[in-house]
Amino acid sequence: MYVTDKKKLLNFKKKIERGYRMEKSAILSECPVQIGIVVPSLEKAMERAKELLGIEGFDIKSFPPEGCDDPKGKYHGEDEDFAFRQCTFDWGNIQLEFLEPIRGRNAYVDYLKEHPNGGIHHLQFLTEDHEKTAQFFQSKGIKEMLSGTGMVPGSGKCWKYYNTAPLIGFDLEIVNKVIK
Amino acid sequence: MNPANAFQNPIQIGIIVKDLDTLLANLKDILNVDNFRIASFPPEGADAPVRKYHGKDGDFSAKFCFYNWGNIELEVIQPISGDSVWFDYLKTTPNAMGIHHIKFMVDTHEETDAHFAEKGIMEITSGEGVGPNAGRTWKFFDTYDKLGFDVEMLNEIVTKKEEE
């Protein structure tokens, strides 16, 4: 009855892998790897995703990650002690993420002030080098809004949000692929 | 029905915008996204396609752009005239743009129509497909407040009009 074309799905997955295997000269992966939705309640979001879309089995994590002494949280360039909860689901060809802010100043709280019921806040792309992407965005006059250490302690990863919503309708989250 | 079967594979992210040309220039500048397929709906010179807005006959038009990211398609819509879900979205969103919907494809609409009706989710806007989607119907469902995006459904199996 439904579209369950495994060949198509496999092709999509190959494209995602290609996104991870970026050309050396590329600043960002060639395709987005995650759709990020900010919500007022993670529990309600997961309940509704299950009821309406049949999605369940989310991977739930918190920030700061458990056992992390230095989460390196920054809000508009200043040190900030913020916290949020996150759940992710591998959705065929892209990852789905729900985010619920818990405390502190952060981009998710700001988003909910303008969208009280939540909404699609960002698309995530990968980079091999945060310094190069930071320089690129700086050259465009685009500011970093929020950053922090990766959700898995010790992974060496770092995520950064850039305020591109006024220009393209969504913010960009950039995560480094290469561990330094 | 088990909704997981119908919604296991999102195929498109849809942006609604007031000023398409500026958005496309910004997408190229920031993400190097270029070479969009651009189309008008309804297409010029063709018979007017069937359109519905909240169940009643609709008369709306829009400019569409499509870009294939590889794993998922990006669609950008600038509503031009008439009542539609796209104008409704622009009235409520800051910056006069944002990601509005995620699209899924099913063989036929019957079971997902019944699923959303059972959950009390209304169909907001629908239309007869044109171009590569001729013979298909696209439908937007009002899931925004529950999921953070509206759901668009498209049927894969093409139905031919009965010969007159």
Side-chain angles (χ1 to χ4, degrees):
Chain A
M1 178 67 197
Y2 299 104
V3 177
T4 52
D5 190 331
K6 300 290 179 196
K7 201 172 174 183
K8 274 187 190 170
L9 267 178
L10 195 64
N11 282 337
F12 282 137
K13 285 181 188 297
K14 280 182 183 169
K15 289 278 187 180
I16 285 190
E17 284 165 14
R18 199 180 302 158
Y20 279 84
R21 294 195 309 271
M22 293 168 290
E23 299 273 334
K24 280 186 181 173
S25 59
I27 295 173
L28 300 175
S29 50
E30 69 177 47
C31 61
V33 297
Q34 182 192 79
I35 300 168
I37 302 177
V38 175
V39 294
S41 163
L42 206 63
E43 271 65 35
K44 279 189 182 167
M46 287 189 288
E47 184 185 312
R48 289 165 176 172
K50 181 180 177 183
E51 182 193 3
L52 297 178
L53 304 177
I55 293 173
E56 55 185 329
F58 281 93
D59 180 21
I60 304 170
K61 288 188 170 70
S62 293
F63 184 93
E66 205 174 318
C68 177
D69 296 329
D70 183 15
K72 298 183 170 56
K74 283 197 182 288
Y75 174 72
H76 289 288
E78 295 178 4
D79 290 344
E80 177 70 18
D81 179 24
F82 58 81
F84 62 86
R85 294 172 67 225
Q86 168 218 56
C87 66
T88 55
F89 177 81
D90 289 335
W91 208 7
N93 45 28
I94 200 161
Q95 188 180 62
L96 173 67
E97 177 187 50
F98 287 118
L99 289 154
E100 177 194 346
I102 302 295
R103 70 158 192 269
R105 296 179 301 167
N106 58 68
Y108 316 128
V109 170
D110 296 343
Y111 185 81
L112 285 180
K113 281 179 191 160
E114 290 191 324
H115 307 77
N117 293 321
I120 298 180
H121 167 260
H122 67 263
L123 297 181
Q124 185 192 95
F125 287 75
L126 303 175
T127 183
E128 292 191 357
D129 187 341
H130 271 306
E131 284 177 23
K132 277 187 187 170
T133 51
Q135 283 170 10
F136 170 75
F137 286 120
Q138 199 171 13
S139 75
K140 303 287 179 189
I142 296 167
K143 293 186 175 174
E144 182 193 301
M145 309 152 66
L146 195 75
S147 63
T149 191
M151 301 299 281
V152 177
S155 67
K157 291 193 177 182
C158 172
W159 48 265
K160 294 173 186 271
Y161 286 94
Y162 291 92
N163 186 208
T164 52
L167 298 168
I168 57 175
F170 54 91
D171 285 328
L172 288 173
E173 181 185 12
I174 311 297
V175 176
N176 58 314
K177 177 200 164 209
V178 176
I179 311 303
K180 289 190 174 178
Chain B
M1 68 168 259
N2 177 2
N5 293 329
F7 305 108
Q8 62 179 313
N9 184 29
I11 60 170
Q12 183 191 81
I13 297 165
I15 297 177
I16 313 295
V17 67
K18 191 176 175 182
D19 179 353
L20 184 74
D21 293 337
T22 300
L23 178 71
L24 296 190
N26 289 339
L27 281 169
K28 178 169 171 50
D29 189 37
I30 295 167
L31 288 174
N32 202 27
V33 165
D34 202 358
N35 295 321
F36 282 90
R37 177 169 69 86
I38 300 177
S40 292
F41 182 85
E44 281 177 32
D47 291 342
V50 174
R51 287 153 287 167
K52 299 269 183 193
Y53 177 69
H54 287 288
K56 295 180 181 171
D57 288 343
D59 184 15
F60 50 80
S61 64
K63 278 164 71 179
F64 284 74
C65 290
F66 303 93
Y67 177 81
N68 187 357
W69 252 321
N71 61 329
I72 200 158
E73 183 178 61
L74 174 66
E75 177 185 56
V76 184
I77 303 173
Q78 178 188 334
I80 302 293
S81 67
D83 289 333
S84 69
V85 63
W86 310 313
F87 266 128
D88 295 344
Y89 178 76
L90 282 185
K91 286 175 194 161
T92 62
T93 194
N95 301 322
M97 64 178 133
I99 299 181
H100 162 259
H101 66 265
I102 297 178
K103 182 175 173 180
F104 302 86
M105 187 175 263
V106 286
D107 284 352
T108 63
H109 282 295
E110 283 81 2
E111 287 200 31
T112 41
D113 283 355
H115 167 69
F116 283 126
E118 183 199 330
K119 301 294 179 189
I121 304 289
M122 303 286 290
E123 180 192 303
I124 319 167
T125 293
S126 65
E128 193 180 342
V130 296
N133 287 324
R136 300 188 172 105
T137 300
W138 46 265
K139 302 182 178 202
F140 286 93
F141 289 92
D142 186 15
T143 56
Y144 201 95
D145 286 348
K146 288 181 181 288
L147 296 172
F149 56 90
D150 279 342
V151 167
E152 181 184 0
M153 304 302 303
L154 179 71
N155 59 308
E156 183 160 50
I157 295 176
V158 172
T159 52
K160 289 182 182 173
K161 282 184 179 175
E162 286 182 21
E163 287 184 18
E164 293 179 54

